[in-house]
Each structure stands twice: as C-alpha cells, then as structure tokens.
C-alpha cells in the first residue's frame, strides 16, 4: 500500500486530496500544526476523518518536519501547507515568507537526507503571474508577483525546481489557478459571496461588503484540481504544470451568478468603488464596495492555459463556472 503524507491536511485541498487518495487505496498521513483543537471539520464533512493518521507538523520547525519524515517514510509528499491568504500576506509579510517560502526548503532539506526516494508535490500558484506579462498564462510565462504571498510562492517554486535539478529528487510544482468549493475558507471571495448571498436570502444579513469587483479569476473546482496533483506524481518525468479551466470571470460576475442562483432580483448601480447591487424587492443596497477590502497591489486578471497537463497527464477540469457557483450557493442555502 503506497503511503502519502499531506501537509495542510486541515485546509480545503488537504481534505479533497485525502479523500481522493484514500479512494485510490493509499495509506494517508495528515500533517497538521499543533492546535488546542485540530480543525478536522473539512475532513469530517467529506467523511474521511477517521481514515487519516494525523501527525503534528509545523512548517516553521525543521526538527519537527524531520521527525515526521523519519517516522512516516512517505512514498509521496504533497506540500499544501501555507499561509495562503493573499490579503493577510500584506499584514504579515515576514511570517508568510517563512511559512510559505522557507517552509518548502525545510521539507526539501529533510527529504533529501531522510527519504530521497519520496516524490514531492509543491502547491505553486497562479498568484506568481501577478501583473501578467501575457495572456493566457502557461508554464513558460514569466512571473511578476504582486504580494508577499506571491513572492514567497515564486521562491518555493524555484527552490523545488532547484532541488529537482541538483539532487535528482522527483519534485513537481502544480501552478494551480484559483479553485474553490463549499470547503473554501470563509475569507476568500467566492465563499464570502456564497455565504452572504444565502444569508441575505434568509433575512439573516442585510449587506455584503467587498473590495475590487473588477478583478478577474480563472476559477475551478478544488475536487477536480486535486486529481491533477496526484497525476503529476505518477508521470514518468518530474515537471511543472499549469492547472486551470481556461475561462475567466470577474468578481462582479460571480456575485451576479450567485444572486441568480438564490433567486434574488437586483440591479447594478454606480462604478468602481461606488458600485452597488440594489434589491428590486426592498430597494436597499445588498452589495457595496469598501476601501478596507482593496489590496495595496492587485492582480487584475488571470487566465490559465493548461494544455500541457491535458496532453501529458490526461487531466481536464470537469466543473464549469456556472456549476461551481451553483454548487457553492446551494451548499450555503442548505447548510448555512
Ligand atoms: P488553506 O485552506 O488555507 O489551507 C492551508 C493549510 O496550511 C491549512 O491546513 C493550514 O493549517 C496549513 N498551515 C498554515 N500554516 C502552517 C504552518 N505554519 N505549519 C503547518 N501547516 C500550516 O489552503 P488551500 O486552498 O487548501 O490551498 C492549499 C495550498 O495550495 C496552499 O499552499 C495554497 O497556497 C496553494 N494554492 C491554493 C490555491 C487555491 O485557489 N485554493 C491556488 C493555488 C495555490 P490550519 O488549518 O491550522 O490553519
Ligand atoms: O478569493 P481571493 O482572496 O483569492 P486570491 O487573492 O486570488 O488568492 C487565491 O488564489 C491564489 C491563486 O491565484 C492562491 F494562490 C491563493 O492561495 C488564494 O487561494 O481574491 C480574489 C479576488 C482578488 O482580486 C481580490 O482583490 O477577489 C478580490 N476581492 C474583492 N473583494 C476580494 C474581496 N477578495 C477577498 N478575499 N475579499 C473581498 O472582500
């Protein structure tokens, strides 16, 4: 039975990947940082919590990482752990660089001496393309990160590549574009919108406050994307792959589609920071913009070209934008 170690097991992708690997017959270890109460909620929602062996794991602490690798000796390591919220990285740039950037080096150094045969997956990000230099973005597009998070991901991407080339480690980076699900963290824009729209529908919330509604993202479904992570580690050659849908939509379009799923009639008014959505029923503003959610530097538009993954890995996204919005808003209407 193959053994997988997933860091960031308590996060969105950790939960979907664990479920996928268990379904393929893997023995799954989940690496989670110490907490007064491990946050296993997502694993419980997917019904896999009892099948995963949790080990204490802190990306800031090399001795801790070494102990886990010595005990588990994994065939495959999926490094999904990170300070992953872009907006927070402007407030905690040093911490983000340490966890999201140097954390990867700590794992690679430990892997190199303890289990050099382990295959390694690094969670790279479309945030590395930042102020994009071409559209769509593929594996050869130059990076231009726009946040401390993006810069840390560029570091971790290149250190993964460097260890692959220097020490012949089977190390891959998946350059994943935004992927969402009902298990997405509450601060991310899609979850924030889906949750608020359901609450507005039920009369539990009056208004949703957001930042830049013009930003565009290539949004896919996390359940589809974790399959690509696994496929990368089964390929003949270790390499890097863009994973995306090839469609881009604005935050405004996501709101529009969400209000339609919840059957809330509305109309748009204003432009830029004065944009708002007015309920046709109450005449009140149900969506407004606020300076507090704008970022010091923005990634305006992302659109991925995942033809390499389609060709070499045989991977393709199954969930389109409309189905993703439907899935997320209906989940909130039923469970919120
Ligand atoms: P997420 O839900 O925010 O999960 C992040 C995980 O990292 C959580 O389990 C968190 O643990 C853990 N973590 C944070 N700091 C840690 C530390 N110091 N030591 C050990 N673990 C730590 O993120 P996600 O959406 O699942 O994304 C997974 C990975 O893919 C991340 O590396 C992210 O940057 C990257 N990525 C995500 C996307 C996307 O659209 N989702 C796109 C491209 C790349 P706690 O539960 O204790 O906080
Ligand atoms: O949902 P977001 O916070 O995701 P963002 O910044 O694109 O980052 C996510 O995707 C990356 C892949 O490209 C990952 F690497 C990263 O870990 C994370 O998963 O914001 C999306 C867009 C941004 O342009 C933001 O400015 O939505 C805009 N936005 C507008 N109002 C908002 C809000 N974002 C958030 N979180 N909250 C708002 O109120």
């Amino acid at each position: 039975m193959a053994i997988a170690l997933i860091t960031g097991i308590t996060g969105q992708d950790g939960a979907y990947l664990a479920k996928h690997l268990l379904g393929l017959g893997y023995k799954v270890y989940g690496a989670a940082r110490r907490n007064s109460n491990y946050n296993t909620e997502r694993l419980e929602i997917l019904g896999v919590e009892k099948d995963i062996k949790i080990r204490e794991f802190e990306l800031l602490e090399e001795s801790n990482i070494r102990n886990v690798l010595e005990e588990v000796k994994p065939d495959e390591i999926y490094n999904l752990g990170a300070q992953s919220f872009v907006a927070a990285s402007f407030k905690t740039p040093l911490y983000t660089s340490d966890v999201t950037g140097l954390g990867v080096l700590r794992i690679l150094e430990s892997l190199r001496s303890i289990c050099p045969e382990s295959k390694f997956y690094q969670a790279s990000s479309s945030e590395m393309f930042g102020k994009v230099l071409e559209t769509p973005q593929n594996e050869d597009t130059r990076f231009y990160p726009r946040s401390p998070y993006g810069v840390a991901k560029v570091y971790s991407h290149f250190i993964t590549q460097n260890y692959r080339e220097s020490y012949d480690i089977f190390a891959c980076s998946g350059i994943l574009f935004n992927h969402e699900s009902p298990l997405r963290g509450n601060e991310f824009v899609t979850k924030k919108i889906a949750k608020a729209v359901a609450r507005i529908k039920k009369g539990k919330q009056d208004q949703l406050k957001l930042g830049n509604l013009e930003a565009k993202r290539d949004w896919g479904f996390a359940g589809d994307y974790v399959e690509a992570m696994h496929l990368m580690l089964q390929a003949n050659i270790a390499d890097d792959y863009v994973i995306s849908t090839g469609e881009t939509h604005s935050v405004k379009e996501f709101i529009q589609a969400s209000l339609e799923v919840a059957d809330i009639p509305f109309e748009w008014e204003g432009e830029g920071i004065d944009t708002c959505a007015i309920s046709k029923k109450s005449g009140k503003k149900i969506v407004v913009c606020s300076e507090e959610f704008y970022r010091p530097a923005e990634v305006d538009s992302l659109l991925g070209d995942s033809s390499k993954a389609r060709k070499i890995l045989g991977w393709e996204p199954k969930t389109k934008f409309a189905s993703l919005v439907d899935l997320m808003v209906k989940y909130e209407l039923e469970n919120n």
Side-chain angles (χ1 to χ4, degrees):
M1 191 188 274
I3 298 174
L5 174 69
I6 304 175
T7 78
I9 189 74
T10 55
Q12 170 189 258
D13 291 6
Y16 281 104
L17 179 63
K19 187 175 167 85
H20 182 58
L21 295 182
L22 286 167
L24 293 172
Y26 279 72
K27 183 171 182 179
V28 177
Y29 285 84
R33 58 179 162 169
R34 203 206 72 79
N35 205 310
S36 58
N37 197 357
Y38 286 124
N39 161 30
T40 52
E41 194 189 336
R42 293 180 171 104
L43 300 171
E44 284 163 34
I45 292 172
L46 296 186
V48 295
E49 186 224 353
K50 291 196 169 53
D51 302 320
I52 294 161
K53 296 168 196 323
I54 299 286
R55 291 293 178 271
E56 199 174 305
F57 182 97
E58 169 56 67
L59 278 162
L60 295 175
E61 188 62 61
E62 197 182 340
S63 62
N64 187 196
I65 295 172
R66 293 185 69 84
N67 288 341
V68 173
L69 293 194
E70 266 158 11
E71 184 207 336
V72 176
K73 296 265 167 43
D75 297 298
E76 296 173 9
I77 301 173
Y78 295 87
N79 181 39
L80 311 183
Q83 189 304 91
S84 76
F85 190 40
V86 173
S89 77
F90 288 102
K91 294 179 182 142
T92 58
L94 291 166
Y95 171 76
T96 301
S97 305
D98 207 351
V99 174
T100 305
L102 285 177
V104 181
L105 178 57
R106 292 187 187 100
I107 300 180
L108 287 166
E109 263 300 288
S110 306
L111 182 160
R112 185 162 81 89
S113 59
I114 297 167
C115 49
E117 298 303 318
S118 300
K119 294 181 178 180
F120 180 75
Y121 172 85
Q122 167 55 19
S124 283
S125 165
S126 53
E127 184 71 15
M128 301 189 301
F129 296 122
K131 190 172 180 181
V132 298
L133 294 170
E134 64 176 338
T135 296
Q137 297 85 51
N138 63 32
E139 293 79 5
D140 298 321
T141 303
R142 264 184 59 206
F143 300 137
Y144 190 151
R146 293 274 279 173
S147 61
Y149 168 83
V151 174
K153 282 287 181 185
V154 170
Y155 173 81
S156 53
H157 183 82
F158 281 126
I159 200 70
T160 301
Q161 199 176 78
N162 179 255
Y163 270 56
R164 174 169 75 216
E165 292 171 2
S166 307
Y167 307 115
D168 205 20
I169 290 168
F170 194 103
C172 303
S173 288
I175 308 174
L176 271 53
F177 282 62
N178 298 51
H179 46 280
E180 319 293 314
S181 74
L183 304 188
R184 189 58 145 146
N186 288 328
E187 298 166 294
F188 297 93
V189 79
T190 56
K191 178 74 168 184
K192 187 173 166 184
I193 295 168
K195 206 167 181 168
V197 164
R199 288 174 61 81
I200 290 169
K201 177 74 179 176
K202 292 181 180 182
K204 291 181 180 173
Q205 185 172 333
D206 296 328
Q207 200 174 66
L208 166 63
K209 248 188 224 175
L210 293 162
N212 177 15
L213 306 192
E214 306 308 324
K216 291 175 121 188
R217 292 291 183 273
D218 180 332
W219 277 298
F221 172 52
D224 294 346
Y225 284 35
V226 298
E227 294 181 14
M229 299 176 186
H230 172 254
L231 286 171
M232 281 178 220
L233 296 197
Q234 314 316 309
N236 293 330
I237 297 167
D239 207 345
D240 306 327
Y241 296 89
V242 159
I243 300 297
S244 63
T245 69
E247 259 186 50
T248 190
H249 295 273
S250 65
V251 173
K252 197 172 173 184
E253 286 175 86
F254 199 101
I255 300 167
Q256 172 122 6
S258 300
L259 289 167
E260 281 166 10
V261 171
D263 198 18
I264 303 175
F266 75 100
E267 56 195 3
W268 290 112
E269 261 186 24
E271 273 178 31
I273 197 160
D274 298 322
T275 308
C276 57
I278 316 263
S279 162
K280 283 193 181 172
K281 221 164 142 191
S282 66
K284 291 186 176 158
K285 291 180 181 177
I286 50 174
V287 181
V288 296
C289 296
S290 165
E291 203 65 70
E292 77 186 279
F293 297 110
Y294 279 69
R295 296 172 183 180
E298 177 63 287
V299 172
D300 295 321
S301 182
L302 292 172
L303 175 65
D305 169 7
S306 55
S307 23
K308 179 175 169 186
R310 286 172 197 248
K311 191 170 162 219
I312 297 176
L313 305 177
W315 176 88
E316 58 179 48
K318 298 175 199 130
T319 313
K320 302 289 261 182
F321 177 74
S323 312
L324 176 68
V325 177
D326 196 67
L327 177 77
M328 291 183 72
V329 175
K330 286 192 176 148
Y331 179 87
E332 296 303 326
L333 286 167
E334 282 158 25
N335 296 287
N336 188 327

